[in-house]
C-alpha cells in the first residue's frame, strides 16, 4: 500500500472542494479550479481538473504552467479573462487556478492567496485522514496475522506443518512471492530449511552458520533484522528463495542468559513496492512467536523421546529380569535364593541355575565388564550360551570353554569380558566341582562358619582363549553353603565414599547362615541399604546362596 498523496486526497475530497470553490466564487466573483497529476503519470503528462466552481470541466491541458509551491503565482490569459496559477505548500502534485473574475479583478492576487491557504489546509486534513486509515488498515492486517498465528500455534501439529502455515500467512500479508524459514542444526552448525514459499524445501541446500557471503549466516550471527538490498550478500544457496531485495529476521529464543539464536526467516519478491520499516517491525514480532513455537516443539519432541527411552528401558529391565531363572528350578535337589539389582535399568550381572542328571545342580554367576545396555546385551548372550552348553557336559571347565567360543566374536569386537564362576553340586557323591574365570567373590561356607575362597585359575572370559581348570571340594549336603556375589556389593560406598569390602558381607552371611536362604539374601541387602544410606548403587548388585 503506497503512501497517500495530495492528488489522491483531492480526488477523494472532490465534492467538498467543489463546495468550497463555489462558496469562494459566490463571495468574490472569481472562478477557481484545482488541477492534479497522479504520481503514476509519466513525466510531462498534462494535469487534470478535479474540482471547480463551475461545471464545465476542461479536458487535460499541457499549456498550463505548473509553478512550485515555493514560487509565486503565475499569471495566465484565459479566454474570458486573466487567471493565476498557484502551487500549494506541501503538495507537489496539486495546483490551484484562480480566475477569471466576473466582478472586480483588482483583488485577484489577495483572494487567490487566501484560497490557496484554505485549499492547502483542507487537503492536509484529507491526507491525514487517509494516512490514519492507511495505518489502521496496516494495523488490522498485523493484528489479524497475529491472531491467525496464535490459532496456528494452538493446534496440535508438527513443527514442519506449523512453520509452513505461518510462513504462508506471513508471505501473503506482506505480499512476498518467496519466503523461507531456516533452523539451526547444532550438530552440523548449518541453517537448514524447514519451510518455503515459492521453492521446494527438499531442493534448498544447508547454509553454514559462519558463511560470510550469505544473508542467512550474517543475520543469524548478528541477531540483527535487516532488509538486504538487491546487490548485497549474493549467495547461490539462497537463490531459490530470493527475488530482489530480501527482508531477513533472526529467530531468537529469549533465555535468562540472553537470546539464543534458533534460525532465520526470509521474505523476498514483494508484489507491490519495497519492504518498509513497518514490514521489518511486523516480521520481527512474528519471528518471536515462531521462535517460541520452534523451541516448544523441540522441548516437546525431546520430552517424548525421553519418555519413549524410559519406557523402552523399563521394558528392557523387565525382559532382563525374566531371563534370570526362578530359584525353584533347582528344587528338590537344592535350595537357592538370589537377587539382582542393576545400577541402571539394565545391567551386566547375571546368574543361572540348571537341574542336571543324577540329582546334580549347576549354578553360575557372571559379571560383564561395565554396566548399562551394552553389558546387558552381552549378559543376554551369555545366558543363552550357558543354557545351551551347561547340559552338554558335567565338567565346569568344558562348559565355560564352550561358552567362551560362543561369545568370542562379541567379546572381541566390544572389548568386554566376563568374570564367571560355574559350579556343579553333586550331593550324592559329596562333591563340589567348579571353574572360576576371574570372579573374585565365590566362597564355600561350612556349617561351623569357616569360609574358603574358591579362587580363580584364569582371567575373565574374553581376556584369554583358555578356559579355567575344574577344581573339586568336599560338599556336605544340608550343611555347607555356597556364597556367590559380584563386586557391586563389596564395592558399595557410604556417603563419605568409604568402600564396604567383602569381609562385612561374609560376616553378615555367617551370622544368619542357619536361617533359610531367602533370609540370608535379605540380610545382606538390608546391610547394603543401611551402609549406602539410600544412595543409588554405583554398580550392579547380584547375590546367590545355595544349599543342597
Amino acid at each position: 500500500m503506497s503512501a497517500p498523496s495530495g492528488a489522491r486526497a483531492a480526488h477523494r475530497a472532490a465534492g467538498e472542494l467543489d463546495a468550497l470553490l463555489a462558496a469562494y466564487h459566490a463571495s468574490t466573483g472569481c472562478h477557481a479550479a484545482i488541477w492534479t497529476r497522479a504520481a503514476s503519470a509519466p513525466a510531462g503528462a498534462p494535469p487534470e481538473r478535479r474540482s471547480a466552481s463551475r461545471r464545465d470541466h476542461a479536458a487535460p491541458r499541457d499549456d498550463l504552467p505548473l509553478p512550485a509551491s515555493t514560487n509565486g503565482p503565475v499569471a495566465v490569459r484565459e479566454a474570458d479573462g486573466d487567471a493565476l496559477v498557484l502551487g500549494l505548500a506541501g503538495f507537489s502534485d496539486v495546483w490551484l487556478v484562480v480566475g477569471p473574475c466576473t466582478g472586480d479583478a483588482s483583488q485577484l492576487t489577495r483572494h487567490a492567496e487566501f484560497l490557496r491557504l484554505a485549499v492547502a489546509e483542507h487537503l492536509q486534513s484529507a491526507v491525514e485522514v487517509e494516512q490514519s486509515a492507511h495505518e489502521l488498515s496496516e494495523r488490522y492486517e498485523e493484528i489479524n496475522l497475529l491472531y491467525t498465528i496464535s490459532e496456528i500455534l494452538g493446534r496440535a501439529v508438527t513443527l514442519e506443518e506449523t512453520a509452513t502455515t505461518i510462513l504462508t500467512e506471513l508471505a501473503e500479508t506482506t505480499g512476498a512471492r518467496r519466503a523461507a524459514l531456516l533452523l539451526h542444526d547444532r550438530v552440523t552448525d548449518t541453517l537448514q530449511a524447514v519451510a518455503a514459499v515459492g521453492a521446494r524445501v527438499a531442493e534448498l541446500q544447508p547454509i553454514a552458520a559462519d558463511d560470510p557471503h550469505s544473508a542467512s549466516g550474517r543475520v543469524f550471527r548478528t541477531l540483527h533484522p535487516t532488509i538486504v538490498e538487491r546487490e548485497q550478500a549474493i549467495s547461490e544457496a539462497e537463490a531459490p528463495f530470493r527475488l530482489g531485495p530480501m527482508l531477513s529476521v533472526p529467530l531468537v529464543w529469549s533465555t535468562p542468559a540472553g537470546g539464543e539464536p534458533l534460525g532465520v526467516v526470509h521474505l523476498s519478491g514483494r508484489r507491490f513496492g519495497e519492504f518498509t520499516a513497518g514490514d521489518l517491525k511486523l516480521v520481527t514480532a512474528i519471528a518471536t512467536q515462531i521462535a517460541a513455537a520452534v523451541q516448544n516443539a523441540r522441548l516437546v519432541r525431546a520430552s517424548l523421546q525421553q519418555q519413549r527411552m524410559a519406557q523402552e528401558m523399563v521394558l528392557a529391565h523387565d525382559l532382563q529380569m525374566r531371563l534370570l531363572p526362578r530359584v525353584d528350578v533347582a528344587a528338590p535337589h537344592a535350595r537357592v535364593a538370589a537377587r539382582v539389582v542393576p545400577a541402571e535399568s539394565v545391567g551386566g550381572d547375571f546368574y543361572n541355575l540348571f537341574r542336571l542328571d543324577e540329582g546334580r545342580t549347576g549354578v553360575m554367576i557372571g559379571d560383564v565388564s561395565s554396566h548399562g545396555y551394552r553389558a546387558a546385551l552381552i549378559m543376554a548372550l551369555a545366558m543363552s550360551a550357558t543354557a545351551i552348553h551347561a547340559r552338554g557336559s558335567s565338567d565346569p571347565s568344558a562348559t565355560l570353554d564352550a561358552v567362551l567360543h560362543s561369545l568370542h566374536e562379541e567379546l572381541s569386537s566390544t572389548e568386554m569380558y566376563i568374570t564367571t564362576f560355574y559350579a556343579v553340586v553333586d550331593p550324592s557323591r559329596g562333591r563340589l566341582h567348579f571353574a572360576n574365570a576371574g570372579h573374585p567373590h565365590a566362597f564355600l561356607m561350612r556349617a561351623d562358619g569357616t569360609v574358603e575362597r574358591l579362587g580363580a585359575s584364569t582371567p575373565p572370559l574374553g581376556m584369554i582363549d583358555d578356559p579355567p581348570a575344574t577344581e573339586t571340594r568336599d560338599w556336605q549336603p544340608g550343611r555347607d553353603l555356597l556364597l556367590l556375589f559380584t563386586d557391586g556389593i563389596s564395592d558399595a560406598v557410604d556417603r563419605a565414599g568409604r568402600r564396604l569390602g567383602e569381609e562385612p558381607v561374609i560376616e553378615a552371611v555367617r551370622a544368619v547362615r542357619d536361617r533359610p536362604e531367602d533370609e540370608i539374601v535379605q540380610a545382606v541387602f538390608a546391610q547394603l541399604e543401611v551402609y549406602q544410606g539410600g544412595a543409588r548403587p554405583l554398580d550392579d548388585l547380584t547375590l546367590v546362596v545355595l544349599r543342597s
Side-chain angles (χ1 to χ4, degrees):
M1 186 181 295
S2 59
S5 68
R8 284 224 313 267
H11 179 69
R12 294 187 178 184
E16 296 176 357
L17 288 173
D18 284 344
L20 175 63
L21 299 183
Y24 175 78
H25 176 255
S27 301
T28 63
C30 296
H31 288 288
I34 294 176
W35 293 76
T36 65
R37 182 165 60 199
S40 59
E48 297 182 354
R49 189 158 62 173
R50 292 296 182 191
S51 299
S53 58
R54 54 189 181 186
R55 295 184 178 276
D56 54 335
H57 293 286
R61 50 187 292 184
D62 54 9
D63 62 339
L64 187 69
L66 302 176
S69 60
T70 55
N71 298 332
V74 176
V76 295
R77 180 68 181 176
E78 299 284 17
D80 49 355
D82 294 331
L84 295 177
V85 181
L86 306 92
L88 299 182
F91 301 99
S92 61
D93 54 358
V94 183
W95 296 270
L96 176 64
V97 178
V98 181
C101 300
T102 56
D104 182 10
S106 61
Q107 301 296 320
L108 178 60
T109 300
R110 185 165 61 88
H111 291 165
E113 286 295 334
F114 171 78
L115 182 60
R116 175 162 68 170
L117 293 175
V119 170
E121 183 69 24
H122 184 85
L123 289 181
Q124 184 61 42
S125 297
V127 168
E128 291 176 358
V129 169
E130 187 175 357
Q131 182 68 42
S132 298
H134 172 79
E135 292 179 357
L136 182 60
S137 176
E138 286 190 336
R139 296 293 84 75
Y140 173 79
E141 290 179 352
E142 294 175 9
I143 293 172
N144 185 59
L145 177 60
L146 291 170
Y147 177 77
T148 301
I149 290 177
S150 297
E151 283 190 325
I152 294 170
L153 297 179
R155 300 171 191 163
V157 294
T158 66
L159 172 60
E160 291 73 15
E161 290 173 333
T162 300
T164 300
T165 306
I166 290 177
L167 193 65
T168 301
E169 293 285 344
L170 194 57
E172 289 181 355
T173 301
T174 59
R177 286 175 288 179
R178 295 187 185 178
L181 193 154
L182 290 75
L183 296 183
H184 181 239
D185 183 275
R186 295 178 180 176
V187 177
T188 60
D189 195 26
T190 58
L191 296 164
Q192 301 184 6
V194 296
V197 173
R200 295 181 59 187
V201 173
E203 296 177 352
L204 301 183
Q205 302 175 5
I207 300 173
D210 59 356
D211 185 349
H213 304 294
S214 71
S216 302
R218 185 180 67 185
V219 171
F220 178 78
R221 294 191 304 272
T222 63
L223 303 183
H224 182 65
T226 186
I227 297 176
V228 185
E229 299 301 332
R230 185 183 304 272
E231 66 280 358
Q232 292 179 330
I234 303 300
S235 169
E236 291 185 4
E238 294 173 339
F241 57 81
R242 179 170 181 177
L243 192 62
M246 185 167 64
L247 188 152
S248 302
V249 175
L251 303 178
V252 183
W253 169 249
S254 297
T255 67
E260 177 185 348
L262 301 181
V264 182
V265 60
H266 297 294
L267 299 166
S268 66
R270 199 178 191 202
R271 293 184 180 88
F272 44 87
E274 302 291 342
F275 289 112
T276 66
D279 297 322
L280 197 63
K281 182 178 180 182
L282 171 63
V283 178
T284 301
I286 301 302
T288 301
Q289 288 189 299
I290 298 176
V294 169
Q295 188 66 9
N296 288 338
R298 286 179 171 177
L299 292 175
V300 169
R301 184 175 295 175
S303 177
L304 291 175
Q305 290 175 343
Q306 290 178 352
Q307 292 178 16
R308 189 178 300 112
M309 179 63 72
Q311 292 172 351
E312 291 176 354
M313 293 304 287
V314 169
L315 292 174
H317 171 79
D318 293 343
L319 177 60
Q320 186 178 36
M321 292 300 101
R322 289 182 184 140
L323 289 175
L324 300 173
R326 293 173 52 178
V327 292
D328 58 6
V329 167
H333 305 298
R335 301 189 304 274
V336 181
R339 183 179 298 181
V340 177
V341 179
E344 301 177 9
S345 296
V346 292
D349 281 12
F350 67 94
Y351 71 90
N352 217 337
L353 297 169
F354 310 100
R355 188 164 56 185
L356 306 176
D357 57 3
E358 300 181 1
R360 294 175 298 182
T361 301
V363 57
M364 176 179 287
I365 189 169
D367 183 0
V368 181
S369 58
S370 185
H371 47 84
Y373 74 94
R374 292 181 63 198
L377 292 175
I378 298 297
M379 168 266 189
L381 293 174
M383 290 282 292
S384 299
T386 303
I388 294 172
H389 300 300
R391 290 180 175 86
S393 174
S394 60
D395 180 10
S397 176
T399 299
L400 291 187
D401 186 40
V403 170
L404 176 59
H405 279 82
S406 297
L407 301 179
H408 185 272
E409 183 176 347
E410 286 75 14
L411 293 175
S412 298
S413 62
T414 59
E415 296 185 350
M416 301 179 77
Y417 57 86
I418 311 174
T419 68
T420 313
F421 175 91
Y422 178 52
V424 175
V425 180
D426 188 350
S428 64
R429 295 178 177 83
R431 292 288 184 267
L432 170 69
H433 308 284
F434 71 91
N436 190 338
H439 193 80
H441 309 298
F443 303 92
L444 175 59
M445 183 174 289
R446 302 296 183 180
D448 61 359
T450 59
V451 174
E452 178 187 358
R453 183 189 299 276
L454 305 178
S457 59
T458 64
L461 299 182
M463 285 190 169
I464 63 174
D465 294 333
D466 297 326
T470 296
E471 300 183 39
T472 302
R473 299 290 186 274
D474 290 336
W475 177 262
Q476 299 181 34
R479 295 174 58 82
D480 291 343
L481 182 73
L482 184 62
L483 171 63
L484 310 172
F485 57 90
T486 58
D487 56 7
I489 292 179
S490 58
D491 290 343
V493 296
D494 62 10
R495 292 191 177 276
R498 292 177 297 225
R499 179 175 174 272
L500 175 63
E502 68 178 17
E503 193 59 35
V505 180
I506 295 173
E507 287 301 322
V509 173
R510 181 183 285 121
V512 294
R513 65 185 182 278
D514 295 329
R515 294 183 185 178
E517 290 73 25
D518 59 345
E519 291 187 18
I520 297 175
V521 171
Q522 290 174 11
V524 172
F525 275 88
Q527 177 193 48
L528 281 174
E529 185 174 354
V530 172
Y531 190 78
Q532 294 178 121
R536 185 187 182 100
L538 301 178
D539 198 359
D540 305 329
L541 310 175
T542 299
L543 176 68
V544 179
V545 294
L546 179 148
R547 192 163 13 220
S548 67

